[in-house]
Amino acid sequence: GGDEVTAVTLGGVAVAEVTFENNTQVEVVAAASDPTTDPVDVVLTADTGAVVTKSGGWRYTDNKIAEVSPDKGQVGTKITISGTKLLAGGTKLTAVTLAGVAVGSIVKGDSEDTAEVRAGESAAKTGDVVLTSDSGATITLSDGFEYVDASE
């Protein structure tokens, strides 16, 4: 047998990264791709050249954050995040960050179209909104939230 997986494709699209592998499991970060209506093939290639294919083993979904309201705040601010398929194949959100800072709490995290969180504590800065589902998938809105000073 081979020592490692050298390539993984999902519907012909090379993955962004292989994050873990052993003899029975391979974990990857999917590269961005257009949504697919039908499942696509998962293809693993080993360093020996051996190829393993799971037909119809993956589907790219149309997950996105459409709005963050308000899009600026400070510790304790209640924020509503709306979009489509926010759970990314899971049943609940397990983590949310605003500008790289873990939220103080996830108030509502089991809906496909709306999440409610309370901002964690941070100095003033702007950054991404990142939702992580119990499926392991993440959805990111670039520069979607700004922490402001208490005086603003």
Side-chain angles (χ1 to χ4, degrees):
D3 291 327
E4 67 180 340
V5 172
T6 57
V8 178
T9 61
L10 305 172
V13 178
V15 300
E17 178 182 7
V18 175
T19 58
F20 174 81
E21 65 177 287
N22 63 24
N23 289 335
T24 61
Q25 183 176 338
V26 177
E27 294 179 7
V28 302
V29 174
S33 183
D34 292 329
T36 56
T37 53
D38 296 319
V40 296
D41 294 349
V42 177
V43 180
L44 308 176
T45 305
D47 58 357
T48 61
V51 175
V52 176
T53 301
K54 169 66 174 166
S55 295
W58 176 260
R59 177 177 288 143
Y60 281 99
T61 59
D62 188 17
N63 314 61
K64 75 177 161 187
I65 298 170
E67 182 180 17
V68 177
S69 180
D71 62 358
K72 61 178 76 170
Q74 55 195 338
V75 65
T77 301
K78 184 177 176 184
I79 298 145
T80 301
I81 302 166
S82 59
T84 55
K85 299 181 183 165
L86 297 180
L87 300 181
T91 60
K92 66 179 180 177
L93 296 176
T94 57
V96 177
T97 60
L98 304 170
V101 178
V103 296
S105 64
I106 299 173
V107 179
K108 176 183 174 188
D110 60 356
S111 169
E112 286 284 0
D113 58 5
T114 307
E116 293 177 0
V117 299
R118 295 231 179 244
E121 189 170 349
S122 177
K125 65 179 176 175
T126 300
D128 299 346
V129 175
V130 180
L131 308 179
T132 304
S133 163
D134 59 359
S135 70
T138 60
I139 302 171
T140 303
L141 176 63
S142 297
D143 290 332
F145 189 77
E146 178 185 0
Y147 276 99
V148 296
D149 289 328
S151 61
E152 292 187 43

